[in-house]
């Protein structure tokens, strides 16, 4: 499958919100989220993503020309280590998993944005955990810091689960 990253424009905000609803639905099994009265999770996108700011960017992930997911990058100022970037959201729809689409998208993002990174993930999501651990280990040749059950308040999920965070440079 051919993977392409396409920057999300402000005019495509609703499309991104629609995909984010699917993302939130998937993650509700780990976080215990409920939908609101209108049947939606009420996803919102921070205004920084629509401003001219290289630290806040969103891309659609396409596979063979079809929407397959999205990736959102934010400024790396969470937690106890200052980094340049963080992966704030990353989602590949089930149909496109296990084809290398996610890894290709992640590596293209890393090619575009050089610096220090952090990736936070919920350890309950074993699929996500395996993806991040393998992709980062491969990309960095094992040169990264992996903190499991990180106690910093920025890394605690709503259900009290302590997140795992990986720090690395590229």
């Amino acid at each position: 499958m051919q993977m392409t990253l396409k920057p999300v424009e402000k005019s495509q905000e609703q499309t991104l919100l629609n995909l984010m609803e699917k993302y939130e639905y998937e993650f509700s099994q780990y976080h215990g989220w409920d939908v609101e009265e209108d049947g939606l999770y009420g996803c919102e996108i921070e205004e920084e993503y629509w401003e001219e700011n290289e630290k806040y960017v969103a891309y659609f992930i396409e596979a063979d020309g079809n929407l397959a997911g999205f990736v959102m990058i934010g400024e790396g100022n969470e937690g106890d280590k200052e980094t340049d970037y963080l992966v704030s959201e990353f989602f590949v729809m089930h149909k496109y998993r296990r084809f290398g689409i996610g890894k290709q998208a992640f590596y293209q993002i890393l090619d575009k944005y050089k610096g220090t990174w952090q990736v936070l993930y919920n350890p309950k999501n074993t699929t996500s955990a395996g993806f991040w651990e393998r992709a980062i280990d491969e990309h960095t040749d094992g040169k990264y810091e992996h903190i499991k059950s990180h106690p910093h308040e920025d890394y605690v999920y709503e259900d009290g689960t302590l997140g795992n965070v990986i720090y690395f440079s590229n």
Side-chain angles (χ1 to χ4, degrees):
M1 274 187 196
Q2 177 67 35
M3 191 285 305
T4 308
L5 286 178
K6 297 220 172 153
V8 178
E9 303 295 329
K10 174 73 172 157
S11 63
Q12 299 169 307
E13 181 176 14
Q14 190 58 55
T15 302
L16 180 57
L17 286 168
N18 293 344
L19 287 173
M20 289 177 75
E21 284 289 327
K22 291 160 183 56
Y23 171 78
E24 295 287 319
Y25 169 74
E26 181 172 323
F27 281 89
S28 69
Q29 66 185 307
Y30 308 111
H31 301 292
W33 295 325
D34 289 310
V35 294
E36 296 176 3
E37 287 185 20
D38 61 1
L40 300 172
Y41 289 97
C43 298
E44 296 178 1
I45 300 170
E46 296 174 38
E47 282 303 311
E48 289 90 348
Y49 285 97
W50 310 126
E51 298 169 359
E52 292 292 322
N53 183 340
E54 70 176 33
K55 297 276 182 152
Y56 289 87
V57 293
Y59 291 90
F60 288 125
I61 300 170
E62 292 185 352
D64 292 338
N66 298 307
L67 278 175
F70 63 90
V71 56
M72 297 173 77
I73 306 303
E75 189 171 18
N77 58 3
E78 291 182 356
D80 55 2
K81 285 192 178 202
E82 189 65 33
T83 55
D84 298 312
Y85 302 100
L86 61 86
V87 176
S88 54
E89 311 297 342
F90 191 92
F91 177 63
V92 176
M93 291 189 286
H94 283 278
K95 176 182 177 179
Y96 299 103
R97 294 182 188 170
R98 306 267 183 229
F99 292 102
I101 298 297
K103 191 187 292 188
Q104 287 177 55
F106 180 53
Y107 289 173
Q108 278 192 26
I109 289 292
L110 294 178
D111 287 344
K112 289 177 183 286
Y113 302 95
K114 301 290 186 186
T116 57
W117 284 82
Q118 60 180 287
V119 173
L120 171 69
Y121 64 90
N122 188 326
K124 289 181 179 179
N125 183 344
T126 56
T127 301
S128 175
F131 170 79
W132 289 120
E133 291 168 8
R134 283 188 308 275
I136 293 169
D137 183 64
E138 181 181 298
H139 188 76
T140 65
D141 292 323
K143 297 178 181 127
Y144 59 90
E145 181 181 6
H146 191 180
I147 301 173
K148 296 186 177 185
S149 298
H150 198 298
H152 193 281
E153 64 187 22
D154 285 346
Y155 300 143
V156 179
Y157 288 95
E158 292 164 359
D159 68 351
T161 300
L162 298 178
N164 291 352
V165 64
I166 301 175
Y167 298 105
F168 65 97
S169 296
N170 66 332

